[in-house]
Amino acid sequence: SAVISQKPSRDICQRGTSLTIQCQVDSQVTMMFWYRQQPGQSLTLIATANQGSEATYESGFVIDKFPISRPNLTFSTLTVSNMSPEDSSIYLCSVGGQGSAGEQYFGPGTRLTVT
Amino acid sequence: DAKTTQPNSMESNEEEPVHLPCNHSTISGTDYIHWYRQLPSQGPEYVIHGLTSNVNNRMASLAIAEDRKSSTLILHRATLRDAAVYYCILKGYNYGQNFVFGPGTRLSVLP
């Protein structure tokens, strides 16, 4: 199993600013995932972050808007840049899911409100 | 990605069994069936998964149809804490390393 913590747990930010979300895992993992959950919606994958390489972004998400760092095997950050109210969502970090039978573990999420 | 279909919402009374259905008619032979749930204000958590045979754990049971085109998550005695959104997800080697979430089933538990 894996225990994941995220900081901050919530924030209220002004339009045009940026917020960096931290994700810490209690064990070393190869792949980390960042998801977005818009109000009342399901989870959507933003990107996959491997240590030592560039993150892989899903369709509709770009590096300039959501830069990701992965400096080691237990930590990652996601930055939401130049925020607009449409970025108001819960952002979740996740690890695991190796292979088709692997469990995936999720952090508690960061609730972002952009005013 | 192979798709799953679940009812948008279901309701149950406390301490009664709950059967949450999931249709996955395009499932392939190597796809695992995973169930996750998301309690209010929390990230999703693992419930159970299986391939062909029925599975039991401390949280729930998973009944898989013989043709694998559908499955049912069974909560044997619903509690108020089981009120959550339940996601049925297929995962195989062709789907990369992450889960693709559909809208899920929102389960309400009435006292």
Side-chain angles (χ1 to χ4, degrees):
Chain A
S1 66
V3 178
I4 303 172
S5 59
Q6 289 184 230
K7 290 181 181 179
S9 58
R10 59 176 63 225
D11 207 341
I12 301 173
C13 301
Q14 290 195 338
R15 180 195 301 260
T17 62
S18 297
L19 176 72
T20 295
I21 301 167
Q22 299 178 10
C23 176
Q24 181 74 51
V25 188
D26 69 343
S27 57
Q28 294 185 341
V29 293
T30 305
M31 304 177 78
M32 297 179 77
F33 308 99
W34 286 97
Y35 287 83
R36 181 177 73 179
Q37 187 170 29
Q38 295 177 301
Q41 303 297 312
S42 187
L43 284 77
T44 301
L45 182 68
I46 297 172
T48 301
N50 287 333
Q51 194 268 333
S53 63
E54 293 281 336
T56 302
Y57 289 82
E58 297 298 304
S59 176
F61 299 95
V62 295
I63 188 172
D64 290 346
K65 176 68 175 178
F66 298 101
I68 289 171
S69 78
R70 183 78 202 276
N72 58 52
L73 292 173
T74 63
F75 187 79
S76 177
T77 67
L78 170 76
T79 299
V80 186
S81 303
N82 189 25
M83 289 184 285
S84 68
E86 292 69 38
D87 294 319
S88 297
S89 296
I90 299 172
Y91 292 86
L92 298 110
C93 172
S94 176
V95 303
Q98 298 292 309
S100 53
E103 288 181 40
Q104 195 157 340
Y105 302 95
F106 291 83
T110 295
R111 183 180 294 271
L112 171 62
T113 302
V114 183
T115 61
Chain B
D1 297 334
K3 294 194 181 297
T4 63
T5 304
Q6 300 177 250
N8 290 333
S9 63
M10 291 185 64
E11 210 172 72
S12 173
N13 293 318
E14 195 176 11
E15 299 196 3
E16 290 187 356
V18 182
H19 288 64
L20 297 164
C22 181
N23 287 319
H24 29 77
S25 59
T26 60
I27 191 171
S28 72
T30 56
D31 289 345
Y32 275 77
I33 302 160
H34 290 255
W35 284 82
Y36 280 70
R37 72 179 185 181
Q38 187 173 21
L39 302 172
S41 301
Q42 296 188 26
E45 64 178 5
Y46 170 81
V47 178
I48 201 166
H49 76 280
L51 182 62
T52 57
S53 302
N54 295 343
V55 184
N56 300 299
N57 66 21
R58 64 176 180 82
M59 287 181 68
S61 296
L62 176 59
I64 301 173
E66 195 168 334
D67 64 4
R68 300 208 327 124
K69 293 185 177 181
S70 66
S71 61
T72 303
L73 178 70
I74 303 166
L75 306 179
H76 296 287
R77 289 183 66 195
T79 68
L80 296 178
R81 193 190 175 278
D82 291 322
V85 179
Y86 287 78
Y87 299 99
C88 169
I89 305 168
L90 300 184
K91 190 156 185 282
Y93 288 108
N94 293 330
Y95 306 152
Q97 297 293 326
N98 74 87
F99 287 97
V100 177
F101 285 80
T105 296
R106 182 174 297 277
L107 175 66
S108 301
V109 180
L110 306 177

